[in-house]
Amino acid sequence: MLNNSNICANQLIEAEAQSWDHILSYLRPSCIKCAIQLGIPDILHKNPNPIMSLSNLIAALPNLNPSKITFIPILMRVLVDFGLFNYHQQQGDGYSLTSVGRLLVENDLSAKRSFFLFAQHLVVLNTAAYMGDWLRDDLSTAFETAYGKSHWDYCAEEPEFNGVFNDAMAGDSRLISNLLISDCCAGVFEGLTSLVDIGGGTGAVAMAIAGAFQRLKCIVLDLPHVIGDRKGSGNLEFVAGNMFDKIPHANAILLKWILHNWSDENCVKLLKKCKESIPSKENGGKVIIIDMVMEDNCSNGQLVQSQHLMDLLMRITHASKERTEKEWEKLFLDAGFSGYKIITSLGLRSLIEIYP
């Protein structure tokens, strides 16, 4: 039977192990970024056989300094620990992609690669590093503390960062697009003849919807520096403008990961603009929202933790937040909508319809 001193010692050992995990956790994204830069997920993906030997992997790595070859198995070992790759000792120290590692393959339809690289951009990392300073000043976000301007103003003035941000949004949109046009969500678009994708960026979601539903006219509305010189074709159109000023009229409006960027006051203002641009509920008008419903999937601890971290990110970057179902309901009612329905869960986020 353990005495109290043994219990305290065990607790101390466990606490120290957990603290070391926090101390060293900064290396995780750095190792993953290194793997992406070396092209390891792409090399494994393109390999004719599911399992690739360590020697063949090393031979396939471009511009690798020969003196650093011995580091590759060390890097691969931690990437296996992170769940990106499988290790096959009996197949000549071979490696294969896991489902998580596949999300880092370039141009994969469900890839999170571009979003990961955005999250590792120095501008994003620096914002988080200024959290303590922000809590002691009177600015609305840690981003402003770090850069003296809002995230959106910074994007408008810094083409390189704006490009990384738009690539991240487009990559995420490709994943969501696959879900939207799948059987679990396709019914959302039944009976519609026109749709405005507000803040649709480079048009990844709208292009997928327009391709799947040829009779549905899709309009992408975003700021001029985002739309650039993009031109639509067929049933796809790009419109440069400010969503708070004017929204093109349509049967339905799509807001994918838009409202979590804004305060309650601005969300209500935008939703009222949406309501002005769609027909009545009886005539098929609706707003389709893809956004997070906080802790709607409490059985999945990893998802809940990711929701909590995303909520923190929104607060320090945009002075906004993720919302619970009750908070969403209040926004919808304050904007004059008559009702809503959470259609389905899309993992971290949910698909919501609201009706005028």
Side-chain angles (χ1 to χ4, degrees):
M1 188 173 186
L2 293 175
N3 59 35
N4 288 338
S5 61
N6 284 335
I7 293 174
C8 291
N10 290 337
Q11 289 174 339
L12 180 60
I13 291 170
E14 179 63 29
E16 188 197 29
Q18 190 171 352
S19 69
W20 274 118
D21 183 66
H22 294 317
I23 291 167
L24 297 172
S25 63
Y26 78 96
L27 289 167
R28 288 193 183 100
S30 297
C31 291
I32 296 171
K33 183 178 180 180
C34 178
I36 292 173
Q37 291 172 329
L38 291 174
I40 293 175
D42 302 287
I43 291 169
L44 292 176
H45 179 65
K46 294 174 183 176
N47 190 51
N49 300 314
I51 300 172
M52 190 174 195
S53 69
L54 176 62
S55 58
N56 287 340
L57 174 62
I58 290 173
L61 294 175
N63 305 317
L64 182 65
N65 188 312
S67 68
K68 312 291 174 58
I69 286 176
T70 55
F71 183 74
I72 299 304
I74 306 303
L75 176 65
M76 294 301 293
R77 181 174 63 189
V78 297
L79 293 171
V80 168
D81 291 340
F82 300 162
L84 269 66
F85 308 127
N86 293 312
Y87 174 57
H88 305 272
Q89 187 174 13
Q90 295 180 348
Q91 282 85 7
D93 288 340
Y95 298 92
S96 63
L97 279 173
T98 65
S99 56
V100 177
R102 188 173 296 276
L103 293 179
L104 299 177
V105 172
E106 188 172 18
N107 297 324
D108 185 90
L109 290 177
S110 299
K112 301 296 290 183
R113 173 195 181 106
S114 57
F115 211 109
F116 180 86
L117 292 175
F118 163 71
Q120 288 303 295
H121 195 285
L122 287 177
V123 170
V124 177
L125 295 176
N126 207 33
T127 299
Y130 270 83
M131 206 183 314
D133 299 283
W134 165 65
L135 287 170
R136 292 189 291 268
D137 67 29
D138 58 357
L139 296 174
S140 60
T141 66
F143 195 99
E144 291 179 67
T145 300
Y147 297 101
K149 61 190 72 174
S150 74
H151 175 271
W152 304 118
D153 288 342
Y154 192 92
C155 282
E157 296 171 12
E158 300 291 338
E160 185 272 336
F161 180 69
N162 183 59
V164 173
F165 175 73
N166 286 332
D167 285 346
M169 296 303 104
D172 181 69
S173 292
R174 284 192 292 272
L175 187 152
I176 290 296
S177 299
N178 289 337
L179 295 172
L180 281 178
I181 62 178
S182 66
D183 292 340
C184 70
C185 299
V188 171
F189 304 105
E190 286 183 5
L192 298 179
T193 58
S194 57
L195 174 79
V196 178
D197 182 5
I198 293 181
T202 56
V205 171
M207 282 188 275
I209 296 171
F213 304 93
Q214 296 290 326
R215 296 182 181 180
L216 178 56
K217 180 181 179 181
C218 295
I219 301 169
V220 178
L221 174 69
D222 216 315
L223 295 169
H225 73 268
V226 177
I227 296 295
D229 58 358
R230 290 180 175 84
K231 304 293 181 184
S233 61
N235 60 330
L236 179 66
E237 179 183 352
F238 286 89
V239 174
N242 189 316
M243 61 188 181
F244 289 106
D245 294 335
K246 184 179 179 181
I247 298 172
H249 287 273
N251 291 145
I253 289 172
L254 175 64
L255 293 166
K256 173 199 162 286
W257 237 9
I258 299 297
L259 296 175
H260 78 153
N261 292 318
W262 299 96
S263 66
D264 289 349
E265 180 182 358
N266 279 321
C267 284
V268 170
K269 181 180 177 182
L270 177 56
L271 288 170
K272 285 181 177 179
K273 280 286 182 184
C274 292
K275 190 169 180 285
E276 293 171 2
S277 298
I278 58 174
S280 65
K281 180 181 179 181
E282 291 72 24
N283 290 318
K286 63 183 176 181
V287 177
I288 303 164
I289 296 171
I290 299 172
D291 227 312
M292 199 175 292
V293 180
M294 286 285 285
E295 301 180 3
D296 64 331
N297 197 346
C298 295
S299 61
N300 189 323
Q302 193 168 31
L303 272 182
V304 170
Q305 185 179 78
S306 295
Q307 288 181 339
H308 291 168
L309 288 171
M310 185 62 73
D311 182 46
L312 184 148
L313 176 64
M314 289 300 102
R315 292 172 189 270
I316 67 171
T317 307
H318 300 290
S320 59
K321 61 182 179 181
E322 304 298 346
R323 295 175 172 90
T324 64
E325 183 174 351
K326 286 186 177 180
E327 289 172 321
W328 280 119
E329 182 179 31
K330 185 176 187 307
L331 283 186
F332 303 151
L333 294 176
D334 288 349
F337 285 84
S338 63
Y340 72 96
K341 181 181 180 183
I342 299 177
I343 304 296
T344 187
S345 171
L346 301 173
L348 194 67
R349 288 158 289 186
S350 295
L351 180 64
I352 309 169
E353 285 188 356
I354 60 174
Y355 313 107

